[in-house]
Amino acid sequence: MKNVLGLRCIDCGKQVPAEAGTYTCPSCGKKGGIMDVEYDYKEINRLTSREQLTQSKDYSIFRYLPFLPIGPDSARPHLRVGWSPLYKPQGLGKSLGMSNLYVKDDGQNPTASLKDRASIIAVIKAVEEKAPTVAASSTGNAASSLAGSAAAMGIKSVIFVPSRAPQGKIAQLLIFGATVISVQGSYEDTFRLSAEAIERFGWYNRNAAINPYLVEGKKTVALEIAEQLNWQVPDWVILSVGDGCTIAGVWKGFKDLYNAGWIDRLPKIAGVQSTGCCPLVDAFLEDRPWTPKEENTIADSIAVGVPRNPDKALNAVRESGGTMVAVSDEAILDAMRELGRTSGIFGEPAGVTGTAGLKVLVEKGVIGADEKVVSIVTGNGLKDVQNAIKAVGEPIKVEPSLKELLVKLEGKV
């Protein structure tokens, strides 16, 4: 990987080679500090250019191979991950009072979430390191994405999920042939047990807050946004936040492009959580260290009371000059309805939390009505049909009678 200089600890700044088995900083105590992958931008520009990349016929994250920490000849799964559509839905823009709103629908990935971007990198790195099994803990989406990528790569997966994980995501895991461990406890309990098991059995660790390569997959959503906007950087990018890895990846993607000289400015980043579980929003708004919170929200994919990548997430928002906001579960359900009704995009609760937060920030004047904004929908609504029904209610039920139909349709169509 001539394009990779090494790994740097975000806590102490120590730099180490990007070697197999090195994920956390060896100088930061027993737990180790979280690392960042550092690139040789001169080498990246030697390998490719904006003009060359724009001509690429590889409509997946691998069109950005010089920006990724994998060998050029490494085996890859056949799944098409990335290059999700970037829409400009006029109806949603009008509903929110915005003239320049875009929606990046990452629910179009193979297992229907942004997490596929990270998991495909995980299985490639696992095979590079000759690991026969990959494992992770997850509230749902990272789990199903890992199981799908592992199945496509021909390796085994062991997934730990909290008991509240939606059945749609559990079904995906089992269909993909994963060994599924349903932990009868919180996400924190699930993460802890997975960490103990991974150490005991020597499985490849897909947990994005531990493995620095996973953020590199997630950052490709930012590379796509920049390219799809013809390298004209938006004023804001807004998305939901759980562990903090995805928002950190978005910021890193834009910074990599900036450092390589491919864009001339950086966007502001806005992170959104549910009021039922918002440890990072509270820490940001109150300018204090984060503290654990209860996991009490319908947005299961971001119901993380003890975030594992808080520093990268908070750094991303602060460095960008952005902000954070928490929204109620009722606002999230409303965003599901509004996004679907005005744009034809079906997002799960965590997937539309960014859109719910955008509405609040526009109403408060934090984000201007004419600013160019990209809202990332991180997961498809079919992952959580139960909450989708809660958002919209039941269908109109009638007997097979036109007379009854006319009565029940009165005032509705």
Side-chain angles (χ1 to χ4, degrees):
M1 298 189 297
K2 293 182 180 180
N3 59 328
V4 174
L5 295 174
L7 304 176
R8 180 184 58 82
C9 177
I10 69 168
D11 294 327
C12 72
K14 182 179 179 64
Q15 294 178 307
V16 298
E19 297 176 340
T22 300
Y23 307 118
T24 57
C25 178
S27 301
C28 282
K30 185 177 180 180
K31 291 186 178 180
I34 294 175
M35 309 292 279
D36 252 342
V37 179
E38 295 205 313
Y39 291 90
D40 183 336
Y41 298 107
K42 288 184 178 179
E43 178 65 13
I44 288 175
N45 282 313
R46 188 189 70 78
L47 292 169
T48 191
S49 66
R50 280 192 350 187
E51 292 71 23
Q52 287 176 294
L53 188 141
T54 303
Q55 300 302 313
S56 173
K57 302 300 182 184
D58 183 352
Y59 294 105
S60 76
I61 68 170
F62 299 114
R63 69 191 286 113
Y64 307 108
L65 189 61
F67 284 93
L68 293 174
I70 57 177
D73 300 319
S74 294
R76 305 176 203 164
H78 56 265
L79 297 177
R80 191 277 305 151
V81 173
W83 204 248
S84 59
L86 181 70
Y87 301 119
K88 190 176 184 181
Q90 299 296 333
L92 181 63
K94 184 177 180 180
S95 175
L96 298 181
M98 303 184 69
S99 61
N100 214 359
L101 172 63
Y102 294 81
V103 174
K104 179 74 165 165
D105 185 8
D106 243 44
Q108 299 299 311
N109 277 306
T111 75
S113 85
L114 187 148
K115 302 294 179 67
D116 285 338
R117 298 175 182 272
S119 291
I120 201 166
I121 299 296
V123 299
I124 291 171
K125 298 302 290 185
V127 170
E128 282 183 353
E129 297 188 18
K130 298 179 171 55
T133 303
V134 292
S137 62
S138 167
T139 53
N141 280 334
S144 55
S145 74
L146 177 60
S149 290
M153 197 67 164
I155 59 178
K156 297 177 181 178
S157 61
V158 180
I159 313 294
F160 295 78
V161 295
S163 55
R164 69 165 187 273
Q167 288 302 300
K169 297 176 183 180
I170 298 297
Q172 277 188 303
L173 293 172
L174 296 171
I175 285 291
F176 294 142
T179 297
V180 182
I181 312 297
S182 178
V183 180
Q184 304 306 294
S186 67
Y187 176 66
E188 169 65 9
D189 297 327
T190 305
F191 186 95
R192 184 173 59 250
L193 180 60
S194 75
E196 293 171 355
I198 287 168
E199 184 174 1
R200 169 66 176 79
F201 293 104
W203 297 324
Y204 186 84
N205 192 340
R206 183 254 181 252
N207 286 323
I210 301 298
N211 189 326
Y213 299 113
L214 279 290
V215 168
E216 301 303 304
K218 292 185 176 187
K219 81 179 182 188
T220 59
V221 72
L223 308 186
E224 289 175 18
I225 289 169
E227 185 180 0
Q228 288 170 325
L229 290 175
N230 197 28
W231 310 106
Q232 300 300 305
V233 177
D235 297 302
W236 288 87
V237 177
I238 188 164
L239 68 157
S240 59
V241 179
D243 250 330
C245 303
T246 301
I247 196 170
V250 170
W251 180 235
K252 190 170 191 301
F254 282 111
K255 285 209 302 182
D256 278 350
L257 289 174
Y258 183 80
N259 290 332
W262 288 31
I263 56 176
D264 58 9
R265 68 186 185 93
L266 293 164
K268 295 178 181 178
I269 306 295
V272 189
Q273 295 189 300
S274 166
T275 51
C277 188
C278 54
L280 295 184
V281 171
D282 287 350
F284 177 84
L285 295 178
E286 297 170 18
D287 194 23
R288 60 164 173 78
W290 69 274
T291 55
K293 298 277 284 189
E294 290 187 9
E295 299 169 358
N296 185 24
T297 173
I298 60 170
D300 66 280
S301 292
I302 57 170
V304 182
V306 182
R308 294 294 171 175
N309 215 333
D311 293 337
K312 280 189 180 182
L314 292 170
N315 288 346
V317 178
R318 288 168 178 154
E319 286 178 17
S320 76
T323 191
M324 301 192 82
V325 66
V327 294
S328 67
D329 280 0
E330 290 72 22
I332 292 171
L333 291 173
D334 182 62
M336 290 179 71
R337 289 190 295 270
E338 193 161 15
L339 189 66
R341 177 179 56 81
T342 63
S343 66
I345 298 172
F346 188 15
E348 66 169 326
V352 307
T353 298
T355 304
L358 174 60
K359 184 175 184 178
V360 172
L361 293 174
V362 171
E363 289 173 349
K364 290 183 174 180
V366 176
I367 294 178
D370 295 325
E371 290 190 278
K372 183 185 290 185
V373 178
V374 175
S375 179
I376 302 175
V377 175
T378 55
N380 191 281
L382 289 173
K383 294 209 170 229
D384 190 353
V385 174
Q386 183 177 354
N387 276 311
I389 294 297
K390 185 184 294 184
V392 295
E394 296 288 342
I396 299 170
K397 297 178 181 178
V398 300
E399 295 298 323
S401 160
L402 179 59
K403 182 178 180 180
E404 182 177 346
L405 175 63
L406 293 175
V407 170
K408 292 197 173 182
L409 281 182
E410 188 174 356
K412 296 183 183 297
V413 293

